[in-house]
Amino acid sequence: REAGDMTHLFSIIVLLLKINATKSCSGVSLKTQELYLLVFVTRYLDLFQSYISLYNSCMKFIFIVSSGCIIGYMRKHKVVSQTYDAEQDTFRVAFLVWPSFLLAAVINQKLSVMEILWTFSIYLESVAILPQLVLLQRTKNVDNLTSNYVFLLGSYRGLYLLNWIYRCLTEEGYRQWIVWISGLLQTAIYCDFFYYYLKSWRKNERLSLPS
Amino acid sequence: RRKSWDHDEL
């Protein structure tokens, strides 16, 4: 789990570094970033309500603030916002948000606002990368930092799968089907990307996804 | 009833 959380954190750091160092967000999907902010805000509503550990609270805070930062850069920064590929980033996010919400309203562990929003965030996270993957496919020369960002982000839920297997074996009664199935789907969505990422990495070439 | 591990991941 620690490795999963760290790759998640690194992915965000890599993206912030890329944007800040190159003053460019080309190849980065604003739609995916906005979906992630929605995921973090709806999942971490309990930040001030239930306390698990200082570690958890800090990470929640970092995830919300950093994704807000990235969105701020992409929308408001004089130089960076000019480099956003708005014409290419056309994924219809309503097709991800509404089905996730409806599914959360129907399939959840407890019928309460907080629980439904939490479940919604789990469902939405599993598909939030899709606009970014579509944009990558449309981008001819994907820069290394952007592809590293997506690779790290994909590795994160993959490592969580190992964490869940471990916890399932060591903790009595540890079951969370909603999270597991969504996590499996989330990792599966990256399979195709992983294949081309590792292929280009082995050949020492820039990544370009076939259309 | 909330289980001890519920929502304890990120």
Side-chain angles (χ1 to χ4, degrees):
Chain A
R1 163 158 174 211
E2 194 53 40
D5 287 347
M6 287 303 118
T7 44
H8 195 186
L9 190 62
F10 282 145
S11 73
I12 295 170
I13 293 172
V14 163
L15 188 58
L16 273 169
L17 278 178
K18 171 210 150 69
I19 293 174
N20 193 36
T22 63
K23 289 288 177 288
S24 157
C25 64
S26 72
V28 179
S29 166
L30 180 60
K31 306 218 170 196
T32 282
Q33 295 306 318
E34 288 175 337
L35 289 179
Y36 264 106
L37 183 63
L38 185 59
V39 164
F40 293 143
V41 169
T42 49
R43 183 167 319 158
Y44 302 150
L45 277 175
D46 64 354
L47 186 54
F48 300 102
Q49 205 181 52
S50 66
Y51 177 82
I52 294 190
S53 66
L54 182 63
Y55 171 82
N56 266 36
S57 300
C58 286
M59 293 293 270
K60 289 174 178 180
F61 182 75
I62 292 171
F63 286 144
I64 293 174
V65 172
S66 58
S67 57
C69 256
I70 293 167
I71 293 170
Y73 257 128
M74 295 184 75
R75 299 182 79 117
K76 307 278 183 209
H77 191 281
K78 260 190 202 138
V79 184
V80 175
S81 63
Q82 308 269 323
T83 62
Y84 169 52
D85 310 316
E87 319 77 52
Q88 306 268 35
D89 190 21
T90 53
F91 199 97
R92 305 273 278 277
V93 290
F95 287 118
L96 302 179
V97 175
W98 287 111
S100 304
F101 186 77
L102 291 175
L103 194 62
V106 177
I107 304 178
N108 54 54
Q109 286 182 44
K110 201 176 77 180
L111 214 55
S112 75
V113 175
M114 292 284 275
E115 188 68 20
I116 288 175
L117 287 177
W118 180 86
T119 314
F120 162 70
S121 82
I122 295 287
Y123 294 149
L124 186 60
E125 184 190 345
S126 67
V127 290
I129 196 63
L130 286 171
Q132 178 64 68
L133 289 176
V134 169
L135 181 59
L136 274 192
Q137 204 165 50
R138 289 175 178 169
T139 312
K140 282 284 159 281
N141 272 312
V142 182
D143 72 67
N144 284 328
L145 286 168
T146 309
S147 59
N148 289 342
Y149 162 70
V150 177
F151 180 73
L152 287 167
L153 197 56
S155 308
Y156 134 73
R157 266 297 194 241
L159 289 165
Y160 256 84
L161 294 180
L162 299 178
N163 164 48
W164 294 329
I165 293 169
Y166 175 78
R167 289 190 72 174
C168 201
L169 296 173
T170 56
E171 283 175 50
E172 188 88 33
Y174 175 79
R175 296 280 182 280
Q176 38 175 1
W177 289 104
I178 288 174
V179 175
W180 292 345
I181 292 169
S182 310
L184 259 178
L185 170 66
Q186 188 173 347
T187 311
I189 286 173
Y190 284 90
C191 282
D192 186 59
F193 169 84
F194 283 152
Y195 172 78
Y196 290 104
Y197 177 88
L198 293 171
K199 206 164 106 175
S200 72
W201 180 70
R202 264 212 327 258
K203 289 190 188 162
N204 232 338
E205 283 169 348
R206 270 192 173 202
L207 176 75
S208 75
L209 298 176
S211 33
Chain B
R1 202 177 70 226
R2 201 160 270 277
K3 298 161 198 88
S4 61
W5 44 260
D6 228 5
H7 300 201
D8 66 354
E9 290 168 349
L10 292 169

